Amino acid sequence: PVVDARAMASRVDGFLFVVEWGKTARHLVRQLLRDEVEIRNKCLGVILNKVDQRKLKLYRSFGSSEYYQSHYTKYYQDAA
């Protein structure tokens, strides 16, 4: 996938970096953004895909949107 991004870098205005939860190693993401200057400069953001909602709660901090996510989910669910 990085080879494709390198090949297209001069032809695009920006990239969205999609990272799969639990599959893509953090050190690989850091290394890519550190070593590939053209990709880093055109990176508009990172999308974390296939997030494990149960494990995500371990990363919550008080006041963050993730902290209140369980409350939002209960509020917006339709009664069956």
Side-chain angles (χ1 to χ4, degrees), residues 18-37:
V18 180
V19 177
E20 186 175 348
W21 173 282
K23 297 289 183 183
T24 309
R26 284 180 264 184
H27 77 275
L28 292 176
V29 174
R30 287 187 200 110
Q31 180 181 350
L32 173 77
L33 293 174
R34 183 188 66 232
D35 297 344
E36 300 293 335
V37 177

Side-chain angles (χ1 to χ4, degrees), residues 20-72:
E20 186 175 348
W21 173 282
K23 297 289 183 183
T24 309
R26 284 180 264 184
H27 77 275
L28 292 176
V29 174
R30 287 187 200 110
Q31 180 181 350
L32 173 77
L33 293 174
R34 183 188 66 232
D35 297 344
E36 300 293 335
V37 177
E38 192 168 13
I39 294 173
R40 180 181 66 233
N41 291 339
K42 292 185 176 189
C43 184
L44 302 173
V46 178
I47 297 171
L48 188 55
N49 196 15
K50 299 181 184 177
V51 173
D52 184 338
Q53 294 293 327
R54 292 172 297 176
K55 290 183 181 177
L56 182 63
K57 66 183 174 183
L58 300 173
Y59 298 94
R60 297 183 209 174
S61 60
F62 182 74
S64 68
S65 59
E66 294 84 15
Y67 184 82
Y68 296 106
Q69 189 269 343
S70 62
H71 301 291
Y72 299 147

Side-chain angles (χ1 to χ4, degrees), residues 5-23:
R6 267 190 233 129
M8 295 180 56
S10 64
R11 296 182 175 99
V12 298
D13 294 329
F15 292 100
L16 288 174
F17 195 173
V18 180
V19 177
E20 186 175 348
W21 173 282
K23 297 289 183 183

